[in-house]
Coordinates of all heavy atoms in Angstrom, one line a residue:
M1 N 5.5 -3.5 -0.1 CA 5.0 -3.6 1.2 C 4.4 -5.0 1.5 O 3.7 -5.5 0.6 CB 3.9 -2.5 1.4 CG 3.2 -2.7 2.7 SD 1.7 -1.8 2.8 CE 2.3 -0.2 3.2
T2 N 4.6 -5.5 2.7 CA 4.0 -6.7 3.1 C 3.4 -6.5 4.4 O 4.0 -6.1 5.4 CB 5.1 -7.8 3.2 OG1 5.8 -7.9 2.0 CG2 4.5 -9.2 3.5
I3 N 2.1 -6.8 4.5 CA 1.3 -6.5 5.7 C 0.3 -7.6 5.9 O -0.1 -8.3 5.0 CB 0.6 -5.1 5.6 CG1 0.2 -4.6 7.0 CG2 -0.6 -5.2 4.7 CD1 -0.1 -3.2 7.1
D4 N -0.1 -7.8 7.2 CA -1.0 -8.9 7.6 C -2.2 -8.2 8.3 O -2.0 -7.5 9.3 CB -0.3 -9.9 8.5 CG -1.2 -11.0 9.0 OD1 -2.1 -11.4 8.3 OD2 -0.9 -11.4 10.1
D5 N -3.3 -8.3 7.8 CA -4.1 -9.1 6.8 C -4.6 -8.2 5.7 O -4.8 -8.7 4.6 CB -5.3 -9.7 7.5 CG -4.9 -10.8 8.4 OD1 -4.1 -11.7 8.1 OD2 -5.5 -10.8 9.6
Y6 N -4.9 -7.0 6.0 CA -5.5 -6.1 4.9 C -4.9 -4.7 5.1 O -4.8 -4.2 6.2 CB -7.0 -6.0 5.1 CG -7.7 -5.0 4.1 CD1 -8.0 -5.4 2.8 CD2 -8.0 -3.8 4.5 CE1 -8.5 -4.5 1.9 CE2 -8.5 -2.8 3.7 CZ -8.8 -3.2 2.4 OH -9.4 -2.3 1.5
A7 N -4.7 -4.1 4.0 CA -4.2 -2.7 4.0 C -4.6 -1.9 2.8 O -4.9 -2.5 1.7 CB -2.6 -2.7 4.1
E8 N -4.7 -0.6 2.9 CA -4.9 0.3 1.8 C -3.7 1.3 1.9 O -3.4 1.8 2.9 CB -6.2 1.1 2.0 CG -7.4 0.2 2.0 CD -8.7 0.9 2.4 OE1 -8.6 2.1 2.8 OE2 -9.8 0.3 2.3
V9 N -3.2 1.6 0.7 CA -2.1 2.6 0.6 C -2.7 3.8 -0.2 O -3.0 3.7 -1.3 CB -0.9 2.0 -0.2 CG1 0.2 3.0 -0.2 CG2 -0.4 0.7 0.5
W10 N -2.8 4.9 0.6 CA -3.3 6.1 0.0 C -2.2 7.0 -0.4 O -1.2 7.1 0.4 CB -4.2 6.8 1.1 CG -5.5 6.1 1.4 CD1 -5.6 5.0 2.1 CD2 -6.8 6.6 1.1 NE1 -6.9 4.6 2.2 CE2 -7.7 5.6 1.6 CE3 -7.3 7.7 0.4 CZ2 -9.0 5.7 1.4 CZ3 -8.6 7.8 0.3 CH2 -9.5 6.8 0.8
V11 N -2.2 7.5 -1.6 CA -1.1 8.4 -2.1 C -1.7 9.7 -2.4 O -2.6 9.9 -3.2 CB -0.5 7.7 -3.4 CG1 0.6 8.6 -3.9 CG2 0.0 6.3 -3.1
N12 N -1.2 10.7 -1.7 CA -1.6 12.1 -1.9 C -3.2 12.2 -1.7 O -3.8 12.9 -2.5 CB -1.2 12.7 -3.2 CG 0.3 12.9 -3.3 OD1 0.9 13.1 -2.3 ND2 0.8 12.8 -4.5
G13 N -3.7 11.5 -0.7 CA -5.1 11.6 -0.4 C -6.0 10.8 -1.3 O -7.2 10.9 -1.2
Q14 N -5.5 10.0 -2.2 CA -6.3 9.2 -3.1 C -6.0 7.7 -3.0 O -4.9 7.3 -2.8 CB -5.9 9.7 -4.6 CG -6.1 11.1 -4.9 CD -7.6 11.5 -4.8 OE1 -8.4 10.8 -5.4 NE2 -7.9 12.6 -4.2
L15 N -7.1 7.0 -3.2 CA -7.1 5.5 -3.2 C -7.7 5.2 -4.6 O -8.9 5.3 -4.8 CB -7.9 4.9 -2.1 CG -7.9 3.4 -2.1 CD1 -6.5 2.8 -1.8 CD2 -8.9 2.9 -1.1
P16 N -6.9 4.7 -5.5 CA -7.4 4.4 -6.8 C -8.6 3.4 -6.7 O -8.4 2.4 -6.1 CB -6.2 3.8 -7.6 CG -5.0 4.3 -6.9 CD -5.5 4.5 -5.4
R17 N -9.7 3.7 -7.4 CA -10.8 2.8 -7.4 C -11.5 2.7 -8.8 O -11.5 3.7 -9.5 CB -11.9 3.2 -6.4 CG -11.4 3.1 -4.9 CD -12.4 3.5 -4.0 NE -12.4 5.0 -3.9 CZ -13.2 5.7 -3.2 NH1 -14.1 5.1 -2.5 NH2 -13.2 7.0 -3.2
A18 N -12.0 1.6 -9.1 CA -12.8 1.4 -10.3 C -13.9 0.4 -10.0 O -13.6 -0.6 -9.4 CB -11.9 1.0 -11.5
A19 N -15.1 0.7 -10.5 CA -16.2 -0.2 -10.2 C -16.0 -1.6 -10.8 O -15.5 -1.8 -11.9 CB -17.5 0.4 -10.8
G20 N -16.2 -2.6 -9.9 CA -16.0 -4.0 -10.3 C -14.6 -4.5 -10.4 O -14.3 -5.6 -10.8
K21 N -13.6 -3.7 -9.9 CA -12.2 -4.1 -10.0 C -11.6 -3.8 -8.6 O -11.9 -2.8 -8.0 CB -11.4 -3.3 -11.0 CG -11.9 -3.6 -12.4 CD -11.0 -2.8 -13.4 CE -11.5 -3.1 -14.8 NZ -10.7 -2.3 -15.8
P22 N -10.7 -4.7 -8.2 CA -10.0 -4.4 -6.9 C -9.0 -3.2 -7.1 O -8.4 -3.0 -8.2 CB -9.2 -5.7 -6.6 CG -9.1 -6.4 -7.9 CD -10.3 -5.9 -8.7
S23 N -8.8 -2.4 -6.1 CA -7.8 -1.3 -6.2 C -6.4 -1.9 -6.2 O -6.1 -2.8 -5.4 CB -8.0 -0.4 -4.9 OG -6.9 0.5 -4.9
P24 N -5.5 -1.4 -7.0 CA -4.1 -1.8 -7.0 C -3.4 -1.4 -5.7 O -2.4 -1.9 -5.4 CB -3.5 -1.1 -8.3 CG -4.4 0.1 -8.5 CD -5.8 -0.3 -8.0
N25 N -4.0 -0.5 -5.0 CA -3.5 -0.1 -3.7 C -4.0 -0.8 -2.5 O -3.8 -0.4 -1.4 CB -3.7 1.5 -3.5 CG -2.8 2.3 -4.5 OD1 -2.5 1.8 -5.6 ND2 -2.4 3.4 -4.1
A26 N -4.8 -1.8 -2.7 CA -5.3 -2.7 -1.6 C -4.5 -3.9 -1.5 O -4.1 -4.5 -2.5 CB -6.8 -3.0 -1.9
I27 N -4.1 -4.3 -0.3 CA -3.3 -5.5 0.0 C -4.2 -6.4 0.8 O -4.6 -6.0 1.9 CB -2.0 -5.1 0.7 CG1 -1.2 -4.1 -0.1 CG2 -1.2 -6.3 1.0 CD1 -0.2 -3.4 0.7
V28 N -4.4 -7.6 0.3 CA -5.3 -8.6 1.0 C -4.6 -9.9 1.1 O -4.1 -10.4 0.1 CB -6.6 -8.7 0.2 CG1 -7.5 -9.7 0.9 CG2 -7.3 -7.4 0.0
G29 N -4.6 -10.4 2.3 CA -4.0 -11.8 2.5 C -3.0 -11.8 3.6 O -2.4 -10.8 4.0
F30 N -2.6 -13.0 4.0 CA -1.6 -13.2 5.0 C -0.2 -13.0 4.4 O 0.2 -13.7 3.6 CB -1.7 -14.6 5.6 CG -3.0 -14.9 6.3 CD1 -4.0 -15.7 5.7 CD2 -3.3 -14.3 7.5 CE1 -5.2 -15.9 6.3 CE2 -4.5 -14.6 8.1 CZ -5.4 -15.4 7.5
N31 N 0.4 -11.9 4.8 CA 1.7 -11.5 4.3 C 1.9 -11.5 2.8 O 2.8 -11.9 2.2 CB 2.8 -12.5 4.9 CG 2.8 -12.5 6.4 OD1 2.9 -11.5 7.0 ND2 2.7 -13.7 7.0
T32 N 0.8 -11.0 2.2 CA 0.8 -10.9 0.7 C 1.6 -9.6 0.3 O 1.2 -8.5 0.6 CB -0.6 -10.8 0.2 OG1 -1.3 -11.9 0.6 CG2 -0.6 -10.7 -1.4
P33 N 2.7 -9.8 -0.5 CA 3.5 -8.6 -0.9 C 2.7 -7.9 -2.0 O 2.0 -8.5 -2.8 CB 4.8 -9.2 -1.4 CG 4.5 -10.6 -1.7 CD 3.3 -11.0 -0.9
N34 N 2.9 -6.6 -2.1 CA 2.3 -5.8 -3.1 C 3.2 -4.6 -3.4 O 3.9 -4.1 -2.5 CB 0.9 -5.3 -2.7 CG 0.1 -4.7 -3.8 OD1 0.5 -4.7 -5.0 ND2 -1.1 -4.2 -3.5
R35 N 3.2 -4.2 -4.6 CA 3.9 -3.0 -5.1 C 3.0 -1.9 -5.5 O 2.1 -2.2 -6.3 CB 4.9 -3.4 -6.2 CG 5.7 -2.2 -6.7 CD 6.7 -2.7 -7.7 NE 7.9 -3.1 -7.0 CZ 8.9 -3.7 -7.5 NH1 8.9 -4.0 -8.8 NH2 10.0 -3.9 -6.8
V36 N 3.1 -0.7 -5.0 CA 2.2 0.4 -5.3 C 3.0 1.5 -6.1 O 4.1 1.9 -5.6 CB 1.6 1.0 -4.0 CG1 0.8 2.2 -4.3 CG2 0.8 -0.1 -3.3
L37 N 2.5 1.9 -7.2 CA 3.2 3.0 -8.0 C 2.8 4.3 -7.3 O 1.6 4.6 -7.3 CB 2.7 2.9 -9.4 CG 3.3 4.0 -10.3 CD1 4.8 3.8 -10.5 CD2 2.6 3.9 -11.7
L38 N 3.7 5.1 -6.9 CA 3.4 6.4 -6.3 C 3.2 7.5 -7.3 O 2.4 8.3 -7.2 CB 4.6 6.8 -5.3 CG 4.8 5.8 -4.2 CD1 6.0 6.3 -3.3 CD2 3.6 5.6 -3.3
T39 N 4.0 7.4 -8.4 CA 3.9 8.4 -9.4 C 4.6 7.9 -10.7 O 5.5 7.1 -10.6 CB 4.5 9.8 -9.0 OG1 4.3 10.7 -10.1 CG2 6.0 9.7 -8.8
E40 N 4.1 8.4 -11.8 CA 4.8 8.0 -13.1 C 6.1 8.8 -13.3 O 7.0 8.2 -13.9 CB 3.8 8.3 -14.3 CG 2.6 7.4 -14.4 CD 2.9 6.0 -14.9 OE1 4.0 5.9 -15.6 OE2 2.1 5.1 -14.6
A41 N 6.1 10.0 -12.9 CA 7.3 10.8 -13.1 C 7.4 11.8 -11.9 O 6.6 12.7 -11.7 CB 7.2 11.6 -14.4
V42 N 8.5 11.6 -11.1 CA 8.7 12.5 -9.9 C 9.5 13.7 -10.4 O 10.4 13.6 -11.3 CB 9.4 11.7 -8.8 CG1 10.8 11.2 -9.2 CG2 9.4 12.5 -7.5
K43 N 9.3 14.8 -9.8 CA 10.0 16.0 -10.1 C 10.9 16.4 -8.9 O 10.5 16.2 -7.7 CB 9.0 17.1 -10.4 CG 8.1 16.8 -11.6 CD 7.1 17.9 -11.8 CE 6.1 17.5 -12.8 NZ 4.9 16.8 -12.3
P44 N 12.0 17.0 -9.1 CA 12.9 17.4 -8.0 C 12.1 18.3 -7.0 O 11.3 19.2 -7.4 CB 14.0 18.2 -8.6 CG 14.0 17.7 -10.0 CD 12.6 17.3 -10.4
G45 N 12.2 18.0 -5.7 CA 11.5 18.8 -4.7 C 10.0 18.5 -4.5 O 9.4 19.0 -3.6
E46 N 9.5 17.6 -5.3 CA 8.1 17.1 -5.2 C 7.9 16.4 -3.9 O 8.7 15.6 -3.5 CB 7.7 16.3 -6.4 CG 6.2 15.8 -6.3 CD 5.9 15.0 -7.6 OE1 6.8 14.7 -8.4 OE2 4.7 14.7 -7.7
R47 N 6.8 16.6 -3.2 CA 6.4 15.9 -2.0 C 5.3 14.9 -2.3 O 4.3 15.3 -3.0 CB 6.0 16.8 -0.9 CG 7.1 17.7 -0.4 CD 6.6 18.6 0.7 NE 7.7 19.3 1.3 CZ 8.1 19.2 2.5 NH1 7.4 18.4 3.3 NH2 9.1 19.9 3.0
I48 N 5.4 13.7 -1.8 CA 4.4 12.7 -2.0 C 4.0 12.2 -0.6 O 4.9 11.8 0.2 CB 4.9 11.5 -2.8 CG1 5.3 12.0 -4.2 CG2 3.9 10.4 -2.9 CD1 6.0 10.9 -5.0
Q49 N 2.7 12.3 -0.3 CA 2.2 11.9 1.0 C 1.7 10.5 0.9 O 0.9 10.2 0.0 CB 1.1 12.8 1.5 CG 0.6 12.5 2.9 CD -0.6 13.4 3.3 OE1 -1.4 13.7 2.5 NE2 -0.6 13.7 4.6
I50 N 2.1 9.6 1.8 CA 1.7 8.2 1.8 C 1.1 7.9 3.1 O 1.6 8.2 4.2 CB 2.9 7.2 1.6 CG1 3.7 7.6 0.3 CG2 2.5 5.8 1.6 CD1 5.0 6.9 0.2
A51 N -0.2 7.3 3.1 CA -0.9 6.9 4.3 C -1.2 5.5 4.2 O -1.7 5.1 3.1 CB -2.1 7.8 4.5
I52 N -1.0 4.7 5.2 CA -1.3 3.3 5.2 C -2.3 2.9 6.2 O -2.1 3.2 7.4 CB 0.0 2.4 5.4 CG1 1.0 2.8 4.3 CG2 -0.3 0.9 5.4 CD1 2.4 2.2 4.6
F53 N -3.4 2.3 5.8 CA -4.4 1.8 6.7 C -4.3 0.3 6.8 O -4.3 -0.3 5.7 CB -5.8 2.2 6.2 CG -6.9 1.5 6.9 CD1 -7.3 1.9 8.2 CD2 -7.5 0.4 6.4 CE1 -8.4 1.2 8.8 CE2 -8.5 -0.3 7.0 CZ -9.0 0.1 8.2
G54 N -4.1 -0.2 8.0 CA -4.0 -1.7 8.1 C -4.9 -2.2 9.2 O -5.2 -1.5 10.2
I55 N -5.4 -3.4 8.9 CA -6.3 -4.1 9.9 C -6.2 -5.6 9.9 O -5.9 -6.1 8.8 CB -7.8 -3.6 9.7 CG1 -8.7 -4.1 10.8 CG2 -8.3 -4.1 8.3 CD1 -10.1 -3.5 10.8
N56 N -6.3 -6.2 11.0 CA -6.3 -7.7 11.1 C -7.6 -8.2 10.6 O -8.6 -7.5 10.7 CB -6.0 -8.2 12.5 CG -4.6 -8.4 12.8 OD1 -3.8 -8.6 11.9 ND2 -4.2 -8.3 14.0
G57 N -7.6 -9.4 10.0 CA -8.9 -10.0 9.6 C -9.1 -11.3 10.3 O -8.3 -11.8 11.0
P58 N -10.3 -11.8 10.2 CA -11.4 -11.2 9.4 C -11.9 -9.9 10.0 O -12.0 -9.8 11.2 CB -12.5 -12.3 9.4 CG -12.2 -13.1 10.6 CD -10.7 -13.0 10.9
I59 N -12.3 -9.0 9.1 CA -12.7 -7.7 9.6 C -14.0 -7.7 10.4 O -14.1 -7.0 11.4 CB -12.9 -6.7 8.4 CG1 -11.5 -6.5 7.7 CG2 -13.5 -5.4 8.8 CD1 -11.6 -5.8 6.4
S60 N -14.9 -8.6 10.1 CA -16.1 -8.7 10.9 C -15.9 -9.2 12.3 O -16.8 -9.0 13.2 CB -17.1 -9.6 10.2 OG -16.6 -10.9 10.0
I61 N -14.8 -9.9 12.6 CA -14.5 -10.3 14.0 C -13.0 -10.2 14.1 O -12.3 -11.2 14.1 CB -15.1 -11.7 14.3 CG1 -14.8 -12.1 15.7 CG2 -14.6 -12.7 13.3 CD1 -15.6 -13.3 16.2
A62 N -12.5 -9.0 14.2 CA -11.1 -8.8 14.3 C -10.5 -9.5 15.5 O -10.9 -9.4 16.6 CB -10.8 -7.3 14.4
P63 N -9.4 -10.3 15.2 CA -8.7 -11.0 16.3 C -8.0 -10.0 17.2 O -7.7 -8.9 16.8 CB -7.7 -11.9 15.5 CG -7.5 -11.2 14.2 CD -8.8 -10.5 13.9
A64 N -7.6 -10.5 18.4 CA -7.0 -9.7 19.4 C -5.5 -9.5 19.1 O -4.8 -8.7 19.8 CB -7.2 -10.3 20.8
N65 N -4.9 -10.3 18.2 CA -3.5 -10.2 18.0 C -3.1 -8.9 17.3 O -4.0 -8.2 16.7 CB -2.9 -11.4 17.2 CG -3.6 -11.6 15.9 OD1 -4.8 -11.3 15.7 ND2 -2.8 -12.0 14.9
R66 N -1.9 -8.6 17.3 CA -1.4 -7.3 16.7 C -1.3 -7.4 15.2 O -1.0 -8.4 14.6 CB -0.1 -6.9 17.3 CG -0.1 -6.6 18.7 CD 1.2 -6.2 19.3 NE 1.1 -5.9 20.7 CZ 2.1 -5.7 21.5 NH1 3.3 -5.8 21.0 NH2 1.9 -5.5 22.7
L67 N -1.5 -6.3 14.6 CA -1.2 -6.1 13.1 C 0.3 -6.0 13.0 O 0.9 -5.3 13.8 CB -1.9 -4.8 12.6 CG -1.6 -4.3 11.3 CD1 -2.4 -5.1 10.2 CD2 -1.9 -2.8 11.1
F68 N 0.8 -6.5 11.9 CA 2.2 -6.3 11.7 C 2.5 -6.0 10.2 O 1.8 -6.5 9.3 CB 3.1 -7.4 12.2 CG 2.9 -8.7 11.5 CD1 3.7 -9.1 10.4 CD2 2.0 -9.7 11.9 CE1 3.6 -10.3 9.7 CE2 1.8 -10.9 11.2 CZ 2.6 -11.2 10.1
M69 N 3.5 -5.2 10.0 CA 4.0 -4.9 8.7 C 5.4 -5.5 8.6 O 6.3 -5.1 9.3 CB 4.1 -3.4 8.5 CG 4.5 -2.9 7.1 SD 4.6 -1.1 6.9 CE 3.0 -0.6 7.3
R70 N 5.6 -6.4 7.7 CA 6.9 -7.1 7.6 C 7.9 -6.1 7.0 O 9.0 -6.0 7.5 CB 6.7 -8.3 6.7 CG 8.0 -9.1 6.6 CD 7.8 -10.4 5.7 NE 6.8 -11.2 6.2 CZ 6.9 -12.2 7.1 NH1 8.1 -12.3 7.7 NH2 5.9 -12.9 7.5
E71 N 7.5 -5.4 5.9 CA 8.4 -4.4 5.4 C 7.7 -3.4 4.6 O 6.6 -3.7 4.1 CB 9.5 -5.1 4.5 CG 8.9 -5.7 3.2 CD 9.9 -6.3 2.3 OE1 11.1 -6.3 2.6 OE2 9.6 -6.8 1.3
A72 N 8.3 -2.2 4.5 CA 7.7 -1.2 3.6 C 9.0 -0.4 3.1 O 9.8 0.0 3.9 CB 6.8 -0.3 4.3
K73 N 9.1 -0.3 1.8 CA 10.3 0.4 1.3 C 9.9 1.2 0.1 O 8.9 0.9 -0.6 CB 11.5 -0.5 1.0 CG 11.1 -1.6 0.0 CD 12.3 -2.6 -0.1 CE 11.9 -3.8 -0.9 NZ 13.0 -4.8 -1.0
V74 N 10.7 2.2 -0.2 CA 10.5 3.0 -1.4 C 11.6 2.7 -2.4 O 12.8 2.7 -2.0 CB 10.5 4.5 -1.1 CG1 10.4 5.3 -2.4 CG2 9.4 4.9 -0.1
E75 N 11.3 2.3 -3.6 CA 12.3 2.1 -4.7 C 12.1 3.1 -5.7 O 11.1 3.5 -6.1 CB 12.0 0.7 -5.3 CG 12.2 -0.5 -4.4 CD 11.9 -1.8 -5.1 OE1 10.8 -2.1 -5.3 OE2 12.9 -2.5 -5.3
F76 N 13.3 3.6 -6.2 CA 13.3 4.5 -7.3 C 13.8 3.7 -8.6 O 14.8 3.1 -8.6 CB 14.3 5.7 -7.0 CG 13.8 6.5 -5.9 CD1 14.3 6.2 -4.6 CD2 12.9 7.5 -6.1 CE1 13.9 7.0 -3.5 CE2 12.5 8.3 -5.0 CZ 13.0 8.0 -3.7
V77 N 12.9 3.7 -9.6 CA 13.2 2.9 -10.8 C 13.2 3.9 -12.0 O 12.3 4.7 -12.1 CB 12.1 1.8 -11.0 CG1 12.4 1.0 -12.2 CG2 12.1 0.9 -9.7
D78 N 14.2 3.7 -12.8 CA 14.2 4.5 -14.1 C 13.3 3.9 -15.1 O 13.6 2.8 -15.6 CB 15.6 4.6 -14.6 CG 15.8 5.5 -15.8 OD1 14.8 5.9 -16.3 OD2 16.9 5.7 -16.2
G79 N 12.1 4.5 -15.3 CA 11.1 3.9 -16.2 C 11.4 4.2 -17.7 O 10.6 3.8 -18.5
R80 N 12.5 4.8 -18.0 CA 12.8 5.1 -19.4 C 13.3 3.9 -20.1 O 13.3 3.9 -21.3 CB 13.8 6.2 -19.5 CG 13.3 7.5 -18.9 CD 14.3 8.6 -19.0 NE 15.4 8.2 -17.9 CZ 16.4 9.0 -17.6 NH1 16.6 10.1 -18.2 NH2 17.3 8.6 -16.7
N81 N 13.7 2.9 -19.4 CA 14.3 1.7 -20.1 C 13.2 0.7 -20.4 O 12.3 0.4 -19.7 CB 15.3 1.0 -19.2 CG 16.5 2.0 -19.0 OD1 16.8 2.8 -19.8 ND2 17.2 1.8 -17.9

């Protein structure tokens, strides 16, 4: 996903967090690409809910221009290799 300026990608209602570390699901920067792991192992018929929160920055004085998402796509990768 590539978004301008800040985004959080919530997966099944969760945003991974750890004290003192940035979330791997947070995207910060002008058109900064990021890859988010949705699951380690998907099962047939499994549903995954994805919610994206995006905002223009700087957050303390949000500009009047529009937020844009350059791309968002889902890739299926065989992790056995």
